[in-house]
């Protein structure tokens, strides 16, 4: 039997990139998936591709009302058993070139969105018998990252939030872990020039970028019962960058 048979999982930022790869793999493993994103056209195409096991809704992770709609969609499918806080932005700027508006935008989407999500899913997930939350951080949340002060700040914050939530939610039967990808070949890195990307790859011991599908496999492990005794962990998938 598929690992996620009769399970419902909410994936934010699920319209493309890592989120889309996670949604596809979850459906292949038997799950029903709520795909949330502000990218409506791409999200609807993905939901159509995945068929009746997936539903898309426009979901701004900074909006509490949108979180309520996402929870309603999940419970309509049969409860809520897992959630991936995948939505995020990456607009790299050095500290002296980062204004308050850009810093706050990163905080609202990358950090506040994750906070609101964990708060929103706790009750429904506990009513479903417990579950697992995976927060997508970054290697930028494990080490200094040049030229990306706002992004780094929020990804470091997710580490602490994950550990605090893991303690708070353990009595509710909910596990919380963070995943820390290195350079992954998705649209998010299109802000880098080809030369910047080549230099970045040379810093990776494995000398390649990761794929969204590789991240998705790790996320599914942390969502599944195979990781039942893992909570509060920070798991890297970075080709050795953080060594």
């Amino acid at each position: 039997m598929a690992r996620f048979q009769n399970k419902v999982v909410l994936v934010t930022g699920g319209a493309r990139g890592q989120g889309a790869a996670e949604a596809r793999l979850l459906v292949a493993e038997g799950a029903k998936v709520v795909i949330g994103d502000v990218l409506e056209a791409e999200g609807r195409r993905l939901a159509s591709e995945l068929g009746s096991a997936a539903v898309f809704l426009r979901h701004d992770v900074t909006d509490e009302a949108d979180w309520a709609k996402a929870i309603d969609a999940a419970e309509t499918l049969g409860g809520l058993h897992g959630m991936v806080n995948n939505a995020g932005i990456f607009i790299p700027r050095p500290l002296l070139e980062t204004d308050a508006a850009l810093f706050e935008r990163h905080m609202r989407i990358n950090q506040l969105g994750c906070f609101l999500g964990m708060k929103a899913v706790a009750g429904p997930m506990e009513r479903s018998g417990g579950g697992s939350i995976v927060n997508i951080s970054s290697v930028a949340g494990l080490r200094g990252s040049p030229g990306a002060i706002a992004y780094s700040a929020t990804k470091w914050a997710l580490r602490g939030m994950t550990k605090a939530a893991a303690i708070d939610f353990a009595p509710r039967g909910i596990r919380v872990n963070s995943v820390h990808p290195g350079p992954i070949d998705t649209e998010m890195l299109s802000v880098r020039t080809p030369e910047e990307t080549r230099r970045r790859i040379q810093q990776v011991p494995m000398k390649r970028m990761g794929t969204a599908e590789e991240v998705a496999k790790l996320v599914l492990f942390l969502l599944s019962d195979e990781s039942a005794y893992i909570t509060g962990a920070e798991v890297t998938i970075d080709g050795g960058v953080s060594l």
Side-chain angles (χ1 to χ4, degrees):
M1 181 180 290
R3 283 186 292 174
F4 290 86
Q5 198 72 38
N6 300 319
K7 301 288 188 182
V8 180
V9 181
L10 168 61
V11 180
T12 71
R16 67 181 186 182
Q18 291 177 194
E22 291 151 10
R24 288 190 178 97
L25 195 50
L26 280 161
V27 168
E29 290 282 350
K32 295 179 181 178
V33 180
V34 177
I35 301 166
D37 211 309
V38 294
L39 301 174
E40 295 189 52
E42 290 165 279
R44 294 189 191 286
R45 279 197 300 271
L46 178 61
S48 178
E49 170 195 327
L50 296 178
S52 61
V55 60
F56 171 79
L57 76 160
R58 189 186 189 285
H59 182 195
D60 177 350
V61 295
T62 71
D63 187 330
E64 289 187 81
D66 275 11
W67 276 107
K69 293 174 186 175
I71 298 302
D72 287 345
E75 295 194 312
T76 297
L77 290 177
L80 185 61
H81 308 90
M83 196 258 288
V84 187
N85 269 314
N86 180 77
I89 61 169
F90 174 61
I91 305 173
R93 297 283 189 280
L95 190 153
L96 295 180
E97 297 175 20
T98 300
D99 60 19
L102 181 61
F103 196 86
E104 289 177 0
R105 185 180 176 199
H106 278 81
M107 285 197 301
R108 286 189 61 78
I109 296 171
N110 296 0
Q111 185 177 349
L112 176 65
C114 179
F115 163 77
L116 293 176
M118 290 192 293
K119 188 175 181 180
V121 303
M125 204 172 282
E126 184 176 17
R127 291 194 294 273
S128 294
S132 174
I133 297 170
V134 179
N135 295 325
I136 305 298
S137 181
S138 167
V139 291
L142 297 171
R143 50 176 285 179
S145 183
I149 181 77
Y151 180 78
S152 298
T154 57
K155 294 305 183 179
W156 275 84
L158 289 190
R159 289 177 68 191
M161 291 166 62
T162 294
K163 292 181 183 299
I167 296 168
D168 286 349
F169 287 177
R172 299 172 179 265
I174 300 170
R175 298 181 296 107
V176 190
N177 294 288
S178 60
V179 167
H180 299 258
I184 305 299
D185 190 10
T186 67
E187 295 89 342
M188 180 173 276
L189 291 189
S190 64
V191 297
R192 301 290 196 193
T193 67
E195 179 56 33
E196 288 172 334
T197 298
R198 282 191 292 272
R199 288 199 301 267
R200 179 63 167 144
I201 291 172
Q202 288 308 305
Q203 297 169 359
V204 179
M206 293 181 69
K207 302 302 181 189
R208 71 173 179 88
M209 297 177 76
T211 69
E213 290 73 23
E214 288 172 319
V215 177
K217 290 175 184 176
L218 172 59
V219 169
L220 261 67
F221 168 71
L222 292 172
L223 289 172
S224 76
D225 292 340
E226 294 167 14
S227 60
Y229 200 52
I230 300 175
T231 196
E234 47 198 41
V235 188
T236 59
I237 177 164
D238 65 357
V241 169
S242 57
L243 295 176

